[in-house]
Amino acid sequence: MQVRLQKYLADAGIASRRKAEELIQRGKVSVNGTVVTELGTKIDDKTDTVRYNGKIVKLESKKYVYIMLNKPEGFVTTVKDQFNRPAVTDLVKVKERVFPVGRLDYDTSGLLLLTNDGDLTYKLTHPKHEIEKTYIAKLFGTPDVNDINKFKRGVHVDGRKTLPAKIEILEKEEKYCYAKITIKEGRNRQVRKMCEAIKHPVAMLQRVATGELELGDLPKGKFRHLTDKEVRYLKNL
Ligand code: URA
């Protein structure tokens, strides 16, 4: 891949990008035996040989981290929030810079994956993979057979029909019920909008699984690293 020389030096841990620029300008860096002082020079990180002070500079292979967080309500999954609300990344104390895989609403809790593996994020969030996400929802009222069939066929949300979804009633109370809902997309506020469409709005929503990966008994606000087996499972989806 073609990368700027100062970025290559920074990624290899030689110096910050700005300091790397200084090193280049001071003639400390060579590419394939020729000293390069021009900023913005691009190199091929696979085939070119970069030297700093005569010593070969190699990129360490990037360390990927894969994390599951039990997101509490009251946190945003965006890194920058216009209202300055707390972000999920504040809860994940690892030295690598990780990003949420997809989103969970501010008022939704539960399983959220975070990683610095951009390829996996792309895969898990791409609609073509149709990865099942499972939620426990507290709903106003109790959906009847008709509503359940509507879910099975897909519900119109924002002018577009959703893919078939599943809803199973787990427990009924006087005014509410608890339901297990499974969808295969990640459209904005999709579960909430689907439940509104069948006139049983969501009072509480928690994601409990992504594919076969389960939240289990991970406490709210806590995170854990995925096991190798779990990472392999996600990569093979
Ligand atoms: N569906 C929603 O409505 N909200 C979420 O956070 C996730 C899925």
Side-chain angles (χ1 to χ4, degrees):
M1 197 172 62
Q2 294 279 315
V3 288
R4 283 172 181 259
L5 186 52
Q6 55 266 49
K7 177 170 173 359
Y8 183 88
L9 292 166
D11 287 350
I14 297 295
S16 67
R17 254 192 234 193
R18 183 155 321 144
K19 280 261 175 298
E21 288 177 356
E22 275 176 40
L23 298 174
I24 295 168
Q25 286 174 318
R26 282 168 43 208
K28 302 275 185 195
V29 181
S30 70
V31 178
N32 301 329
T34 306
V35 172
V36 170
T37 53
E38 193 167 325
L39 294 182
T41 301
K42 286 200 170 165
I43 60 139
D44 186 314
D45 63 357
K46 295 273 180 308
T47 55
D48 288 333
T49 303
V50 176
R51 284 190 162 82
Y52 163 59
N53 272 345
K55 271 203 183 149
I56 292 187
V57 177
K58 278 219 178 101
L59 281 186
E60 295 263 330
S61 56
K62 185 167 173 180
K63 184 174 176 248
Y64 287 121
V65 283
Y66 304 91
I67 283 162
M68 180 193 291
L69 169 72
N70 186 347
K71 175 195 173 299
E73 297 88 348
F75 283 78
V76 290
T77 50
T78 42
V79 177
K80 267 215 165 18
D81 177 51
Q82 54 170 331
F83 304 114
N84 239 349
R85 292 173 295 184
V88 287
T89 42
D90 300 338
L91 296 169
V92 177
K93 307 274 184 254
V94 291
K95 61 178 192 308
E96 292 82 6
R97 193 142 181 250
V98 290
F99 298 92
V101 178
R103 57 185 168 220
L104 272 187
D105 299 334
Y106 180 72
D107 39 4
T108 300
S109 66
L111 194 163
L112 182 71
L113 298 174
L114 297 104
T115 182
N116 54 353
D117 182 343
D119 290 343
L120 187 67
T121 299
Y122 179 78
K123 176 175 170 184
L124 294 178
T125 52
H126 199 292
K128 83 168 180 219
H129 294 293
E130 297 187 5
I131 294 163
E132 288 196 333
K133 270 95 45 186
T134 306
Y135 297 83
I136 300 294
K138 182 178 180 183
L139 304 179
F140 287 97
T142 303
D144 61 16
V145 177
N146 229 337
D147 299 321
I148 293 172
N149 284 335
K150 280 186 198 160
F151 252 66
K152 274 191 197 156
R153 291 194 296 264
V155 175
H156 278 279
V157 160
D158 297 331
R160 201 156 51 90
K161 206 169 171 188
T162 65
L163 288 174
K166 285 182 248 172
I167 179 165
E168 180 193 341
I169 310 303
L170 301 174
E171 206 183 311
K172 280 190 209 177
E173 286 179 357
E174 209 182 301
K175 288 192 182 149
Y176 302 98
C177 79
Y178 288 88
K180 185 168 142 186
I181 295 175
T182 306
I183 61 172
K184 291 180 183 169
E185 299 151 287
R187 286 158 62 178
N188 189 26
R189 297 180 77 81
Q190 179 166 344
V191 172
R192 291 173 195 275
K193 288 176 181 170
M194 290 178 79
C195 294
E196 265 162 38
I198 58 162
K199 309 238 162 13
H200 293 283
V202 165
M204 188 276 306
L205 189 62
Q206 182 193 30
R207 180 152 71 202
V208 293
T210 293
E212 288 172 15
L213 219 67
E214 292 185 354
L215 182 62
D217 53 11
L218 186 65
K220 243 185 212 180
K222 298 284 181 207
F223 72 91
R224 68 170 177 85
H225 289 266
L226 298 187
T227 62
D228 291 345
K229 193 171 163 204
E230 288 171 327
V231 174
R232 264 200 311 279
Y233 161 73
L234 292 175
K235 288 186 176 176
N236 287 326
L237 272 176

